[in-house]
Amino acid sequence: MRKRSLRDLPPTALDGQRALVRVDFNVPLKDGRVADDTRIRAAAPTIKYLRDKGARVVLLAHLGRPAGPEPELSLQQIMRDVERVIGSVVEFIPDPATGVATTRRLTRGGVALVENTRFWPGEEANDPRFAETLAALGDFYVDDAFGSAHRAHASTEAVARLLKPAVAGFLMEKELRYLGDALHNPRRPFVAVLGGAKISGKIDVIQALLPRVDEILVGGAMASTFFLAIGFQVGGSLVERDKEEVAKGLIAQAGAKLILPRGAVVAPSLERAAERREVTSDQIPADCAVFDIDQATRLDFRARIVRAKTVFWNGPMGVFETSPFDAGTRAVAEALIEAGKRGAITVVGGGDSAAAVAGLEDKLTHVSTGGGASLEFLEGKPLPGVVALEDA
Ligand code: ADP
Ligand code: MG
């Protein structure tokens, strides 16, 4: 079901109105400063559009997991970055219960940011009374926080039931289009590339994707658990021994769709990268661990990716944080870009995967900013924050 979007509201209806906008500003902080402003930039198009149409913009967001008011998790710390990204001064509302006057004082195009919603227990309790407090800060509701949509909280769920119209912002709309429609009715061939550290968090994703994809290419540490299931030795590789049976089941279910790495880059340890070498997957030495996919696998995966018309990628192919073990991950990123040039829709989801393609966003169809939410959505789970929005 398509959700009503900001685009569906007549621009004249926005003029002078207070837009209550839930954004995902859950950014990483380092020494009280924003270490990565990707999420703030991702919300900018919605904020800019509203300001251009003369709306007064009131932003709601959470930061981290505070047990109550915690200065280290105050959104005050991100104010300067928000102002820089949207190019305007921003008013700070320290308490939503006393914020109405500030929202009414905003000029057309003015912006205010409310303190971390999780400072109040009503937020995570999805408390209707706290939602009423929030709803009083706006005349209509825009949800652009796809990354928080898998949680039924007052600022994502209850408020959307109280304050109408309740519509999707541009980022939310894009996430729904590319993770939803594009992957549910994919242009074929549809190839999924999965990697990362663990199978355990991704079993449901693999199971949900299997009936829909033409091929599923597996790399990363996840591949080593599949190797174990086949009966290969994995040396000191990161594996989940208790998931061997699950892996066996997935292999049986997937049949020819499941493509495992032909070989691996192994080394005695991450620190001893100089001693790295390539081995076939059935020859992993006992005194080594797998840290990346090998060159033969990169070429194999590349060939399969570039002939696809839809590609979804989650999870790095190796320990990409530590060069030279980023080569497999970079090769897959380049293959996605090449597939895109040939007309494919290319979608990347997952926190580490998004970090791995930082700077390449323009060359990909969509890089999801919502880590956990993107995977749950792919699994077909209804996201409370999306369900609560009006249908188009
Ligand atoms: P995402 O956040 O994109 O969903 P994950 O969190 O599942 O991805 O996995 C990312 C992590 O997987 C990275 O920290 C990376 O170092 C690790 N990883 C990938 N391949 C290996 C490997 N062969 N051995 C150990 N860790 C690996
Ligand atoms: Mg991760």
Side-chain angles (χ1 to χ4, degrees):
M1 176 63 86
R2 198 176 83 80
K3 289 294 171 178
R4 200 171 179 203
S5 130
L6 184 51
R7 225 177 289 274
D8 299 324
L9 300 180
T12 47
L14 309 178
D15 191 21
Q17 299 296 301
R18 293 171 308 150
L20 186 65
V21 188
R22 176 58 156 101
V23 288
D24 179 5
F25 283 174
N26 193 21
V27 292
L29 291 180
K30 210 177 169 200
D31 307 321
R33 306 185 68 112
V34 175
D36 176 0
D37 66 359
T38 307
R39 286 182 162 168
I40 301 176
R41 286 187 286 112
T46 293
I47 298 169
K48 180 175 188 314
Y49 178 86
L50 285 163
R51 297 182 63 216
D52 286 350
K53 302 297 175 215
R56 299 179 279 168
V57 180
V58 181
L59 301 170
L60 295 178
H62 81 276
L63 182 63
R65 297 182 171 170
E70 288 178 26
E72 319 79 75
L73 290 175
S74 170
L75 283 179
Q76 193 109 48
Q77 298 167 99
I78 75 163
M79 284 286 282
R80 259 188 299 151
D81 294 86
V82 177
E83 290 181 328
R84 175 178 48 77
V85 171
I86 69 175
S88 148
V89 285
V90 176
E91 295 257 2
F92 191 68
I93 296 179
D95 183 348
T98 55
V100 176
T102 308
T103 66
R104 296 209 184 283
R105 268 203 312 273
L106 285 176
T107 53
R108 292 165 72 253
V111 184
L113 173 65
V114 179
E115 179 60 289
N116 191 347
T117 50
R118 290 196 186 169
F119 280 6
W120 291 273
E123 166 70 339
E124 292 183 63
N126 203 21
D127 175 16
R129 264 175 315 180
F130 185 59
E132 262 174 50
T133 303
L134 298 177
L137 302 174
D139 301 311
F140 66 102
Y141 177 73
V142 180
D143 191 353
D144 219 16
F146 180 78
S148 307
H150 56 318
R151 313 246 185 258
H153 290 170
S155 69
T156 61
E157 209 272 348
V159 73
R161 305 205 174 271
L162 286 175
L163 189 59
K164 306 284 176 181
V167 299
F170 297 143
L171 174 63
M172 172 72 93
E173 192 186 21
K174 201 169 174 229
E175 296 274 11
L176 297 178
R177 180 180 326 135
Y178 289 116
L179 291 174
D181 307 349
L183 301 188
H184 280 93
N185 303 304
R187 290 172 57 222
R188 294 186 182 279
F190 176 15
V191 171
V193 189
L194 293 181
K198 292 178 173 180
I199 287 189
S200 44
K202 298 188 178 169
I203 295 165
D204 293 344
V205 183
I206 301 175
Q207 267 164 351
L209 283 172
L210 267 178
R212 286 188 251 146
V213 296
D214 296 294
E215 280 179 338
I216 203 160
L217 320 181
V218 173
M222 187 193 277
S224 300
T225 303
F226 281 106
F227 291 157
L228 208 60
I230 299 173
F232 294 170
Q233 302 300 311
V234 294
S237 302
L238 178 64
V239 281
E240 292 169 281
R241 295 199 180 268
D242 58 331
K243 289 291 176 288
E244 192 179 327
E245 288 309 311
V246 172
K248 280 186 185 158
L250 289 171
I251 290 170
Q253 195 187 334
K257 286 184 179 179
L258 187 74
I259 313 295
L260 292 174
R262 298 176 176 202
V265 177
V266 298
S269 68
L270 274 182
E271 294 70 35
R272 288 165 69 181
E275 293 163 61
R276 73 188 179 280
R277 60 199 158 100
E278 298 199 338
V279 296
T280 55
S281 301
D282 59 349
Q283 297 293 328
I284 298 165
D287 58 352
C288 281
V290 170
F291 293 119
D292 199 3
I293 53 173
D294 73 342
Q295 180 66 15
T297 306
R298 288 172 214 161
L299 292 173
D300 177 39
F301 283 11
R302 179 185 169 85
R304 295 174 193 275
I305 291 166
V306 297
R307 61 172 182 252
K309 282 286 167 279
T310 306
V311 188
F312 172 73
W313 177 25
N314 167 263
M317 295 293 102
V319 184
F320 76 104
E321 302 93 335
T322 312
S323 172
F325 302 116
D326 57 341
T329 301
R330 276 194 289 109
V332 164
E334 281 159 22
L336 257 76
I337 291 168
E338 179 60 30
K341 283 188 192 151
R342 299 185 190 194
I345 286 183
T346 57
V347 180
V348 179
D352 290 288
S353 313
V357 297
L360 302 173
E361 292 89 348
D362 295 351
K363 298 176 175 158
L364 299 158
T365 310
H366 182 58
V367 179
S368 177
T369 54
S374 18
L375 296 186
E376 287 194 23
F377 192 60
L378 268 180
E379 288 161 25
K381 291 188 188 153
L383 307 182
V386 175
V387 174
L389 299 175
E390 288 168 72
D391 294 330

